[in-house]
Amino acid sequence: MRLSNYFLPILKETPKEAEIASHRLMLRAGMIRQQSAGIYSWLPLGLKVLNKINIIIREEMERAGAVEILMPTLQSADLWRESGRYDAYGKEMLRIQDRHERDMLYGPTNEEMVTDIFRSYVRSYKDLPLNLYHIQWKFRDEVRPRFGVMRGREFLMKDAYSFDTDFETAKVAYQRMFAAYLRTFNRLGLKAIPMKADTGPIGGDLSHEFIILAETGESGVFCHKSHLERAVPSDDVNFNNAAVLQKIFDDWTKDYAATDEIHDEEAYAAINESDRVSARGIEVGHIFYFGTKYSESMGAKITGSDGVEKPVHMGSYGIGPSRLVGGIIEAFHDENGIIWPESVAPFDLGIINMKPGDMATDEASQKLYDSLVKAGKDVLYDDRDTRAGAKFATMDLIGLPKQAIIGPRGLKEGVIEIKDRATNTRESVSLEAAINMLTS
């Protein structure tokens, strides 16, 4: 993509309403535009990142056996009355009526609707286990939306819901998603720590928040440092082997990790002082087993192998892709802008033509651009006739992993510069060497 043809509305000044780095940088980099409190339009650069995050989430959900569906944003209030949540949910739910004065709502979550889908089609234990997921926009009318996409009113969510015959098989489904989440966040370039979360009246230990460490995190987090060093499940992990899943779960939950909400100071103090980690963290995912809470109230039953009809056991598994964009920026940025992990960068590389109109720089820039595109790379070519300093600032702000800097002076010496955004180091190489390096 040529930058002269792209829509990238860079802001030179930091908007006053931006309180944290991700909000500030997303606005300045032209990734989003606020339309009203907590509601944003996603502009081309932001949408590219959001889409890349969704691709990784889909790949890992399907690797773990989840099946994608798509549920509507508007839901009937009748479903929520069945579960007993319509009146209990509070003002965060946007309640509306259609032209026939039927009560509707803009879905803040989808437990009721997915339970209705399940009960309409599944009757036997032979059809289980089942995990259905979707990626859909949600709306919660926050009293005070803030921090940009980190706490907006409209947000994108990946919701997965598991259905199993009993607690033991539901536990396997939970651990399957536990492992899938570790893999997902790792592929997004994040070190996510699973921390035990409150299970409410259901009890047990099957509720975990996945937390990334960041100075601007909303929660205080306390954990053993082993969580920062532990390897995630490999590409060939067997998601159908309950023993393998149990081992992964046990390995990741054996050492202390908790947010300040349920922090146990005595248990934390028992850790060797050199192994303690106390920091701030951002929640990027939450998994939760809720048993028969919805299946009992909504009549979602299956006939077991013994011929007896019983409520299905369920769990829910959430990741917020739109929130993740902000979370990744909070974890990876410097004073000059964003530093994207390669897996979610909006473009793989940026080419800076230092002197558009100069035959040699134009030819070299075009040759590199064509070679990279042919090799399947996603490239942003800054061909604008503007100051070199402005081009450098733009590339640093939007955070592409690599920059190729091509100018008359370097070409006279037979070289171009390759800059690594994360380290800010530069390497001078020939054009041919750059093509080989960047297309491999």
Side-chain angles (χ1 to χ4, degrees):
M1 174 62 67
R2 289 176 176 269
L3 189 48
S4 60
N5 296 331
Y6 198 57
F7 183 55
L8 187 64
I10 297 292
L11 300 180
K12 293 182 179 180
E13 303 296 327
T14 299
K16 293 180 180 179
E17 70 271 21
E19 300 178 58
I20 61 174
S22 59
H23 192 192
R24 179 176 72 251
L25 292 172
M26 289 183 76
L27 290 170
R28 286 201 55 222
M31 296 178 66
I32 56 173
R33 174 176 171 75
Q34 182 170 314
Q35 302 300 150
S36 61
I39 299 176
Y40 295 87
S41 288
W42 287 76
L43 306 183
L45 197 76
L47 185 59
K48 280 179 71 71
V49 175
L50 193 61
N51 287 340
K52 289 193 173 186
I53 289 173
N54 288 340
I55 287 170
I56 291 173
I57 290 173
R58 283 190 170 97
E59 288 174 353
E60 292 304 323
M61 284 296 99
E62 289 167 16
R63 185 194 299 269
V67 181
E68 186 172 14
I69 61 175
L70 182 60
M71 292 176 274
T73 56
L74 292 180
Q75 303 182 31
S76 169
D78 291 340
L79 288 176
W80 286 66
R81 290 190 175 108
E82 281 190 61
S83 71
R85 287 209 298 173
Y86 183 71
D87 294 320
Y89 200 88
K91 292 184 177 180
E92 288 78 19
M93 181 190 290
L94 181 62
R95 296 166 171 84
I96 59 177
Q97 286 188 331
D98 65 13
R99 67 169 65 198
H100 302 291
E101 298 186 351
R102 290 176 294 215
D103 291 330
M104 308 285 287
L105 58 99
Y106 196 123
T109 184
N110 281 81
E111 284 83 2
E112 283 82 1
M113 184 167 285
V114 77
T115 302
D116 177 58
I117 291 172
F118 177 88
R119 70 183 179 182
S120 299
Y121 300 105
V122 181
R123 298 283 186 271
S124 171
Y125 75 97
K126 295 180 181 180
D127 296 319
L128 301 181
L130 180 65
N131 189 315
L132 301 175
Y133 83 98
H134 78 157
I135 299 176
Q136 178 61 286
W137 291 97
K138 302 286 192 294
F139 186 89
R140 293 177 190 167
D141 202 359
E142 296 280 354
V143 174
R144 190 187 176 196
R146 57 193 305 219
F147 304 146
V149 299
M150 296 292 289
R151 190 185 292 175
R153 292 195 294 165
E154 186 181 56
F155 53 94
L156 191 64
M157 278 293 294
K158 186 283 301 181
D159 301 298
Y161 300 97
S162 61
F163 303 86
D164 291 275
T165 55
D166 53 32
F167 172 75
E168 289 304 318
T169 53
K171 183 172 71 172
V172 175
Y174 183 93
Q175 294 174 351
R176 185 178 293 117
M177 287 293 100
F178 185 95
Y181 271 43
L182 292 172
R183 286 190 46 79
T184 299
F185 294 123
N186 184 65
R187 288 189 59 193
L188 294 171
L190 299 170
K191 175 63 73 173
I193 303 171
M195 298 194 173
K196 188 179 293 187
D198 185 16
T199 57
I202 291 177
D205 63 353
L206 296 187
S207 178
H208 286 85
E209 297 174 339
F210 287 77
I211 305 289
I212 61 171
L213 302 185
E215 292 180 1
T216 54
E218 297 170 302
S219 303
V221 297
F222 306 86
C223 68
H224 194 286
K225 73 174 185 181
S226 63
H227 289 286
L228 303 176
E229 303 163 351
R230 193 169 282 120
V232 304
S234 63
D235 289 349
D236 60 355
V237 61
N238 187 348
F239 282 104
N240 294 314
N241 188 317
V244 168
L245 297 173
Q246 183 70 58
K247 186 177 185 306
I248 293 170
F249 182 79
D250 291 343
D251 189 42
W252 276 88
T253 57
K254 65 184 179 183
D255 294 324
Y256 185 81
T259 64
D260 49 12
E261 293 180 345
I262 60 170
H263 176 50
D264 183 339
E265 186 59 39
E266 184 176 343
Y268 184 65
I271 302 171
N272 289 332
E273 188 172 355
S274 61
D275 292 331
R276 297 175 197 162
V277 175
S278 174
R280 305 297 297 177
I282 298 171
E283 180 189 339
V284 291
H286 192 176
I287 61 178
F288 183 59
Y289 164 76
F290 49 72
T292 59
K293 176 180 179 180
Y294 297 95
S295 57
E296 284 187 350
S297 61
M298 298 184 68
K301 298 180 179 180
I302 51 104
T303 301
S305 58
D306 56 2
V308 177
E309 196 176 58
K310 54 188 175 182
V312 69
H313 286 246
M314 296 173 59
S316 67
Y317 315 92
I319 293 177
S322 55
R323 179 179 171 86
L324 264 173
V325 177
I328 292 170
I329 295 173
E330 290 296 328
F332 300 109
H333 70 274
D334 61 17
E335 66 276 8
N336 296 318
I338 304 165
I339 305 173
W340 290 114
E342 290 186 10
S343 60
V344 297
F347 295 92
D348 300 317
L349 177 132
I351 296 175
I352 299 175
N353 184 336
M354 296 281 284
K355 193 175 181 180
D358 178 82
M359 183 177 296
T361 57
D362 285 350
E363 288 181 356
S365 298
Q366 190 64 48
K367 181 176 181 179
L368 179 60
Y369 179 75
D370 290 342
S371 299
L372 292 172
V373 171
K374 186 177 180 180
K377 302 296 183 180
D378 202 357
V379 186
L380 183 63
Y381 172 21
D382 192 343
D383 60 338
R384 300 171 301 162
D385 185 12
T386 189
R387 295 182 301 105
K391 294 188 176 191
F392 292 145
T394 294
M395 284 295 177
D396 280 352
L397 175 62
I398 65 177
L400 308 188
K402 300 286 185 183
Q403 301 171 20
I405 304 163
I406 304 176
R409 184 180 302 175
L411 289 175
K412 285 182 180 179
E413 299 174 2
V415 297
I416 68 172
E417 284 189 322
I418 305 299
K419 177 180 175 179
D420 183 277
R421 178 66 182 91
T423 63
N424 283 320
T425 57
R426 298 191 184 199
E427 180 182 3
S428 295
V429 297
S430 69
L431 179 61
E432 293 301 325
I435 292 172
N436 292 332
M437 178 195 309
L438 299 171
T439 56
S440 60

